[in-house]
Amino acid sequence: MQKTLIALFSAGLMTMATTTLAAGDPIAGKYKFKATCVGCHGSNAEGMVGPKLAGQSAEEIVRKLTEYRAGKKRGPMTSMMAPMAQGLTETEVHNLAAYVSGL
C-alpha cells in the first residue's frame, strides 16, 4: 500500500511539473519579451513594426513561435521572426506565450 501511495504521489508531482512547463511562467516571459520583442511588437505587444500580439491566446503564440522555429513560412515577417524564434528554447516559447496572452 505504501509503495502504491508513493507511486501515485510521484506521478502527481510529475504531472504538475509538466503542466507548469506547458503553461509557462509569465514573469520569465515578461523579462524575455522586454529584452527581445519590444523593439518590434511594442512595450505592451500593441504592435509597431511587428503585428499586435496582445489579445492572442497562449496556444496561438506557441503555435506561431513553433512554426517560426521550424522554419515554416508564415508571411512577410518570416525572414525577421524565424531567426529570433530559432534561438528560443521550448520553455522560453511557453513563457512568452504565458506573458503575452495576459496582455
Side-chain angles (χ1 to χ4, degrees):
M1 177 70 168
Q2 185 177 5
K3 287 182 182 179
T4 302
L5 288 174
I6 291 171
L8 289 172
F9 180 73
S10 297
L13 288 177
M14 288 174 48
T15 301
M16 285 174 38
T18 303
T19 302
T20 301
L21 176 63
D25 176 359
I27 302 298
K30 177 181 180 178
Y31 287 112
K32 187 68 175 179
F33 184 87
K34 298 295 183 181
T36 310
C37 310
V38 168
C40 292
H41 293 285
S43 60
N44 294 305
E46 70 276 12
M48 292 175 35
V49 174
K52 177 181 176 182
L53 301 175
Q56 294 185 30
S57 70
E59 293 80 12
E60 184 69 9
I61 298 295
V62 168
R63 184 180 65 78
K64 289 176 180 180
L65 287 172
T66 300
E67 288 176 356
Y68 282 128
R69 283 177 62 201
K72 182 176 181 182
K73 180 139 175 74
R74 290 203 31 88
M77 301 306 263
T78 299
S79 63
M80 290 178 67
M81 275 304 302
M84 297 298 291
Q86 287 169 353
L88 298 173
T89 66
E90 190 69 21
T91 300
E92 289 171 327
V93 166
H94 287 277
N95 292 347
L96 282 165
Y99 173 67
V100 170
S101 67
L103 296 176

